[in-house]
Amino acid sequence: MIFYHVISDAPKAAGQRLLLDEAHPNGVYRRVSAQMKIVKAIFACPEAYHGRQLSHEVKVALRELALERVRKQSYPRYPSRLAALYVSSTMEEAQRWAVYFAGLGRPVYGVARIKADGNCFIGDASKCFDGTVEESQNLKMAEIYWHNAPHPDGREPIPEILVDGEILIEDIIPFRA
């Protein structure tokens, strides 16, 4: 399968091979892991955090942990968001993500054309959510994400493709904001 990936965590090179699976996690996994001390405190005593402002990083960690729990329980054939590459089906779509990431202040090194040999999930980025101290709410929203039904109002999805397995970076197109 050929896809396009916005290189934003660290520079990559044409010809580079990546392996993403449960034993080889991605940058999302590392960012979630960095928040585990506060996440464990929230899980142990959520009422102590009601009304408190959570950082973006903690909200992401709460979301990703709920998404992973629901994936493992109900959708195990899908790639883990903690061990997948986030890709696009076209160069144009990847360029739009690159502009979006650059606008958030994330470094963008280029867009890679990749070949992936693994599992694939085509989801809807608009169904991502800010995690809260309410684990039941996070799990409900995670189910909506993985179930991947059309929006009830007919709204178009924002494609978010996850791939895992063996990945070859075939070419890199430099990004210019």
PDB file of all heavy atoms in Angstrom, residues 144-157:
ATOM      1  N   ILE A 144     -17.039   5.417  19.818  1.00  0.00           N
ATOM      2  CA  ILE A 144     -17.534   6.156  18.647  1.00  0.00           C
ATOM      3  C   ILE A 144     -16.426   6.273  17.602  1.00  0.00           C
ATOM      4  O   ILE A 144     -16.660   6.083  16.404  1.00  0.00           O
ATOM      5  CB  ILE A 144     -18.067   7.546  19.063  1.00  0.00           C
ATOM      6  CG1 ILE A 144     -19.366   7.373  19.855  1.00  0.00           C
ATOM      7  CG2 ILE A 144     -18.263   8.460  17.857  1.00  0.00           C
ATOM      8  CD1 ILE A 144     -19.851   8.630  20.552  1.00  0.00           C
ATOM      9  N   TYR A 145     -15.203   6.574  18.039  1.00  0.00           N
ATOM     10  CA  TYR A 145     -14.080   6.695  17.114  1.00  0.00           C
ATOM     11  C   TYR A 145     -13.850   5.383  16.358  1.00  0.00           C
ATOM     12  O   TYR A 145     -13.791   5.360  15.129  1.00  0.00           O
ATOM     13  CB  TYR A 145     -12.808   7.105  17.869  1.00  0.00           C
ATOM     14  CG  TYR A 145     -11.579   7.116  16.984  1.00  0.00           C
ATOM     15  CD1 TYR A 145     -11.269   8.237  16.224  1.00  0.00           C
ATOM     16  CD2 TYR A 145     -10.737   6.009  16.893  1.00  0.00           C
ATOM     17  CE1 TYR A 145     -10.152   8.246  15.393  1.00  0.00           C
ATOM     18  CE2 TYR A 145      -9.624   6.013  16.082  1.00  0.00           C
ATOM     19  CZ  TYR A 145      -9.332   7.132  15.331  1.00  0.00           C
ATOM     20  OH  TYR A 145      -8.232   7.129  14.500  1.00  0.00           O
ATOM     21  N   TRP A 146     -13.703   4.277  17.087  1.00  0.00           N
ATOM     22  CA  TRP A 146     -13.366   3.001  16.448  1.00  0.00           C
ATOM     23  C   TRP A 146     -14.534   2.405  15.668  1.00  0.00           C
ATOM     24  O   TRP A 146     -14.320   1.728  14.659  1.00  0.00           O
ATOM     25  CB  TRP A 146     -12.858   1.992  17.471  1.00  0.00           C
ATOM     26  CG  TRP A 146     -11.498   2.317  18.013  1.00  0.00           C
ATOM     27  CD1 TRP A 146     -11.194   2.638  19.300  1.00  0.00           C
ATOM     28  CD2 TRP A 146     -10.258   2.357  17.297  1.00  0.00           C
ATOM     29  NE1 TRP A 146      -9.838   2.864  19.430  1.00  0.00           N
ATOM     30  CE2 TRP A 146      -9.243   2.701  18.217  1.00  0.00           C
ATOM     31  CE3 TRP A 146      -9.903   2.130  15.966  1.00  0.00           C
ATOM     32  CZ2 TRP A 146      -7.909   2.818  17.851  1.00  0.00           C
ATOM     33  CZ3 TRP A 146      -8.567   2.248  15.604  1.00  0.00           C
ATOM     34  CH2 TRP A 146      -7.594   2.591  16.526  1.00  0.00           C
ATOM     35  N   HIS A 147     -15.756   2.642  16.128  1.00  0.00           N
ATOM     36  CA  HIS A 147     -16.916   2.121  15.394  1.00  0.00           C
ATOM     37  C   HIS A 147     -16.984   2.737  14.002  1.00  0.00           C
ATOM     38  O   HIS A 147     -17.383   2.092  13.034  1.00  0.00           O
ATOM     39  CB  HIS A 147     -18.207   2.400  16.179  1.00  0.00           C
ATOM     40  CG  HIS A 147     -19.424   1.862  15.521  1.00  0.00           C
ATOM     41  ND1 HIS A 147     -19.639   0.510  15.340  1.00  0.00           N
ATOM     42  CD2 HIS A 147     -20.493   2.489  14.969  1.00  0.00           C
ATOM     43  CE1 HIS A 147     -20.785   0.332  14.715  1.00  0.00           C
ATOM     44  NE2 HIS A 147     -21.317   1.514  14.475  1.00  0.00           N
ATOM     45  N   ASN A 148     -16.587   4.010  13.927  1.00  0.00           N
ATOM     46  CA  ASN A 148     -16.365   4.677  12.639  1.00  0.00           C
ATOM     47  C   ASN A 148     -17.614   4.764  11.761  1.00  0.00           C
ATOM     48  O   ASN A 148     -17.527   4.663  10.538  1.00  0.00           O
ATOM     49  CB  ASN A 148     -15.225   3.976  11.889  1.00  0.00           C
ATOM     50  CG  ASN A 148     -14.513   4.906  10.929  1.00  0.00           C
ATOM     51  OD1 ASN A 148     -14.545   6.122  11.093  1.00  0.00           O
ATOM     52  ND2 ASN A 148     -13.871   4.339   9.938  1.00  0.00           N
ATOM     53  N   ALA A 149     -18.759   4.940  12.370  1.00  0.00           N
ATOM     54  CA  ALA A 149     -20.008   5.106  11.601  1.00  0.00           C
ATOM     55  C   ALA A 149     -20.045   6.505  10.995  1.00  0.00           C
ATOM     56  O   ALA A 149     -19.366   7.426  11.481  1.00  0.00           O
ATOM     57  CB  ALA A 149     -21.211   4.896  12.513  1.00  0.00           C
ATOM     58  N   PRO A 150     -20.836   6.689   9.941  1.00  0.00           N
ATOM     59  CA  PRO A 150     -20.987   8.042   9.383  1.00  0.00           C
ATOM     60  C   PRO A 150     -21.561   8.997  10.424  1.00  0.00           C
ATOM     61  O   PRO A 150     -22.263   8.588  11.346  1.00  0.00           O
ATOM     62  CB  PRO A 150     -21.975   7.843   8.226  1.00  0.00           C
ATOM     63  CG  PRO A 150     -21.944   6.383   7.928  1.00  0.00           C
ATOM     64  CD  PRO A 150     -21.597   5.691   9.210  1.00  0.00           C
ATOM     65  N   HIS A 151     -21.269  10.278  10.247  1.00  0.00           N
ATOM     66  CA  HIS A 151     -21.840  11.293  11.131  1.00  0.00           C
ATOM     67  C   HIS A 151     -23.351  11.317  10.940  1.00  0.00           C
ATOM     68  O   HIS A 151     -23.839  11.276   9.797  1.00  0.00           O
ATOM     69  CB  HIS A 151     -21.274  12.681  10.800  1.00  0.00           C
ATOM     70  CG  HIS A 151     -19.859  12.864  11.222  1.00  0.00           C
ATOM     71  ND1 HIS A 151     -19.504  13.129  12.518  1.00  0.00           N
ATOM     72  CD2 HIS A 151     -18.703  12.813  10.527  1.00  0.00           C
ATOM     73  CE1 HIS A 151     -18.196  13.242  12.603  1.00  0.00           C
ATOM     74  NE2 HIS A 151     -17.680  13.050  11.406  1.00  0.00           N
ATOM     75  N   PRO A 152     -24.116  11.391  12.019  1.00  0.00           N
ATOM     76  CA  PRO A 152     -25.582  11.421  11.891  1.00  0.00           C
ATOM     77  C   PRO A 152     -26.093  12.601  11.067  1.00  0.00           C
ATOM     78  O   PRO A 152     -27.125  12.509  10.410  1.00  0.00           O
ATOM     79  CB  PRO A 152     -26.085  11.526  13.338  1.00  0.00           C
ATOM     80  CG  PRO A 152     -24.924  11.221  14.207  1.00  0.00           C
ATOM     81  CD  PRO A 152     -23.675  11.409  13.398  1.00  0.00           C
ATOM     82  N   ASP A 153     -25.331  13.710  11.066  1.00  0.00           N
ATOM     83  CA  ASP A 153     -25.765  14.894  10.320  1.00  0.00           C
ATOM     84  C   ASP A 153     -25.252  14.903   8.873  1.00  0.00           C
ATOM     85  O   ASP A 153     -25.429  15.877   8.149  1.00  0.00           O
ATOM     86  CB  ASP A 153     -25.341  16.169  11.046  1.00  0.00           C
ATOM     87  CG  ASP A 153     -23.826  16.296  11.196  1.00  0.00           C
ATOM     88  OD1 ASP A 153     -23.078  15.465  10.632  1.00  0.00           O
ATOM     89  OD2 ASP A 153     -23.399  17.233  11.883  1.00  0.00           O
ATOM     90  N   GLY A 154     -24.588  13.818   8.456  1.00  0.00           N
ATOM     91  CA  GLY A 154     -24.096  13.724   7.083  1.00  0.00           C
ATOM     92  C   GLY A 154     -22.789  14.455   6.833  1.00  0.00           C
ATOM     93  O   GLY A 154     -22.317  14.495   5.688  1.00  0.00           O
ATOM     94  N   ARG A 155     -22.204  15.033   7.857  1.00  0.00           N
ATOM     95  CA  ARG A 155     -20.949  15.776   7.728  1.00  0.00           C
ATOM     96  C   ARG A 155     -19.850  14.854   7.192  1.00  0.00           C
ATOM     97  O   ARG A 155     -19.766  13.688   7.544  1.00  0.00           O
ATOM     98  CB  ARG A 155     -20.588  16.325   9.107  1.00  0.00           C
ATOM     99  CG  ARG A 155     -19.338  17.105   9.194  1.00  0.00           C
ATOM    100  CD  ARG A 155     -19.199  17.807  10.545  1.00  0.00           C
ATOM    101  NE  ARG A 155     -19.775  17.058  11.649  1.00  0.00           N
ATOM    102  CZ  ARG A 155     -19.103  16.682  12.725  1.00  0.00           C
ATOM    103  NH1 ARG A 155     -17.827  16.969  12.836  1.00  0.00           N
ATOM    104  NH2 ARG A 155     -19.688  16.016  13.703  1.00  0.00           N
ATOM    105  N   GLU A 156     -18.999  15.399   6.337  1.00  0.00           N
ATOM    106  CA  GLU A 156     -17.888  14.644   5.765  1.00  0.00           C
ATOM    107  C   GLU A 156     -16.817  14.382   6.825  1.00  0.00           C
ATOM    108  O   GLU A 156     -16.493  15.265   7.624  1.00  0.00           O
ATOM    109  CB  GLU A 156     -17.252  15.417   4.605  1.00  0.00           C
ATOM    110  CG  GLU A 156     -18.089  15.428   3.346  1.00  0.00           C
ATOM    111  CD  GLU A 156     -18.235  14.048   2.732  1.00  0.00           C
ATOM    112  OE1 GLU A 156     -17.233  13.322   2.617  1.00  0.00           O
ATOM    113  OE2 GLU A 156     -19.371  13.701   2.384  1.00  0.00           O
ATOM    114  N   PRO A 157     -16.244  13.185   6.835  1.00  0.00           N
ATOM    115  CA  PRO A 157     -15.166  12.889   7.789  1.00  0.00           C
ATOM    116  C   PRO A 157     -13.869  13.588   7.390  1.00  0.00           C
ATOM    117  O   PRO A 157     -13.685  13.998   6.245  1.00  0.00           O
ATOM    118  CB  PRO A 157     -15.011  11.375   7.682  1.00  0.00           C
ATOM    119  CG  PRO A 157     -15.535  11.026   6.341  1.00  0.00           C
ATOM    120  CD  PRO A 157     -16.595  12.046   6.005  1.00  0.00           C
TER     121      PRO A 157
END
